[in-house]
Amino acid sequence: MASSTSRPPRRRPRAQFGNRQATTSTTPGLNRLGIPAVVLSLSIALAGCGGIGTGTADDARSAAVGAEDASATASGVPGTTQARPRQTPADTEGSAASVPAQLPGLGPQTLAGIPKNARQVVLVTGRGKDSPKSQVVLYRRTSAGWEPGATWPAHNALKGWTDDHRAGDLHSPIGVFTLTDAGGRLADPGTELPYDQSSQGFRIGGTGFEGEPLAGSFDYVIAINYNRKAGTSPLDWTRPLGDDKGGGIWLHVDHDGPTHGCVSLARKHLKELLLTLDPDQHPVIVMGDAESLKR
């Protein structure tokens, strides 16, 4: 007779930066100069995501949100349902009619950029080359094809999309990028990605392009591996392509307005995405305006 004792859920060893409680940034090079973490987080905001501000409104807001999340977890409310595509036994119940063999809306050039081992794809499709609005769908690769999850509204950069992103150009970079690291002001919600919690490094405040408050935008973030070193905290300042090519491009909490270069989702949707992404599935993000992705 099989034992009735249930095994604990699988958890991977954390990277060294995971769940860090320090109050200063680990940004290499800059923090050795003694620059306060709040200034470093502001620099990251200007280089990629968010906007300007001191982040003073973030402390109270994040504390309230953290308590809300903890209450939901304690009450047994499921952390994620919408992000996950339909699960089928051994991935055999899908049909050609319901599961596309290829990711929809992508042309041969874009498809060629997706690694062969990627089994999770976050597809971000912009409304237009100059539009700050887009939609996000998480696809899971099965033996039947690519199964889609829910479709979520999102924001991207104020001026839309570009193939040649530059620091401060207010465009989001078009391309295929891996997703390996996460973090935020709030505690790890249970993601399998290495997670860096920092109350100072992810501080943001002030207002966005449309006057909307930015507080809470970095409660949760997922680093997009554009011009950054994979396997490090989202706060890492390493720029392999050079500083002029920008950086600090993240998936982060939506503040109801355009970003500097990032992609933003409603907090509940970003949290669901965090709880669904699995490093063993080699997740990537495919992002750009609809016409560019058809190439």
Side-chain angles (χ1 to χ4, degrees), residues 239-271:
R239 300 289 180 255
L241 302 178
D243 291 345
D244 64 318
K245 291 290 289 181
I249 306 298
W250 299 341
L251 283 155
H252 66 72
V253 177
D254 189 53
H255 45 77
D256 296 322
T259 72
H260 274 73
C262 298
V263 174
S264 60
L265 287 165
R267 188 174 67 88
K268 65 178 182 179
H269 295 154
L270 185 61
K271 185 179 178 183

Side-chain angles (χ1 to χ4, degrees), residues 5-238:
T5 303
S6 60
R7 296 194 304 177
R10 177 172 62 96
R11 294 290 291 173
R12 293 182 184 80
R14 292 286 183 189
Q16 289 187 353
F17 70 80
N19 220 21
R20 181 173 54 84
Q21 299 294 334
T23 58
T24 58
S25 172
T26 58
T27 305
L30 293 180
N31 60 359
R32 291 197 299 268
L33 301 177
I35 301 174
V38 64
V39 176
L40 296 182
S41 63
L42 173 57
S43 300
I44 290 175
L46 292 174
C49 304
I52 61 173
T54 61
T56 54
D58 237 358
D59 298 313
R61 184 187 183 282
S62 292
V65 169
E68 175 186 329
D69 283 355
S71 176
T73 301
S75 64
V77 176
T80 177
T81 54
Q82 298 299 314
R84 292 177 179 170
R86 184 179 68 258
Q87 301 292 314
T88 60
D91 295 329
T92 59
E93 293 183 3
S95 66
S98 60
V99 181
Q102 292 287 1
L103 290 162
L106 304 187
Q109 178 180 322
T110 304
L111 288 169
I114 300 175
K116 299 297 184 183
N117 63 353
R119 298 184 65 83
Q120 288 182 322
V121 169
V122 180
L123 179 56
V124 183
T125 306
R127 289 188 184 179
K129 193 67 176 288
D130 302 322
S131 173
K133 295 185 178 181
S134 51
Q135 67 176 30
V136 174
V137 181
L138 174 66
Y139 285 86
R140 182 176 69 100
R141 189 175 184 177
T142 73
S143 59
W146 289 95
E147 293 190 7
T151 299
W152 295 328
H155 279 100
N156 50 269
L158 177 68
K159 295 184 178 180
W161 302 89
T162 181
D163 289 302
D164 185 22
H165 180 69
R166 299 286 172 172
D169 69 3
L170 301 182
H171 289 83
S172 295
I174 298 169
V176 179
F177 311 102
T178 54
L179 300 172
T180 55
D181 309 289
R185 286 179 55 82
L186 299 184
D188 179 358
T191 182
E192 294 284 356
L193 298 173
Y195 190 90
D196 182 11
Q197 181 187 6
S198 172
S199 61
Q200 296 295 319
F202 293 103
R203 173 176 290 200
I204 186 68
T207 57
F209 294 110
E210 298 179 352
E212 76 280 8
L214 298 176
S217 298
F218 301 158
D219 281 353
Y220 301 116
V221 310
I222 302 170
I224 296 172
N225 289 347
Y226 166 81
N227 198 20
R228 71 176 300 270
K229 182 179 178 182
T232 62
S233 165
L235 297 173
D236 189 283
W237 196 257
T238 304

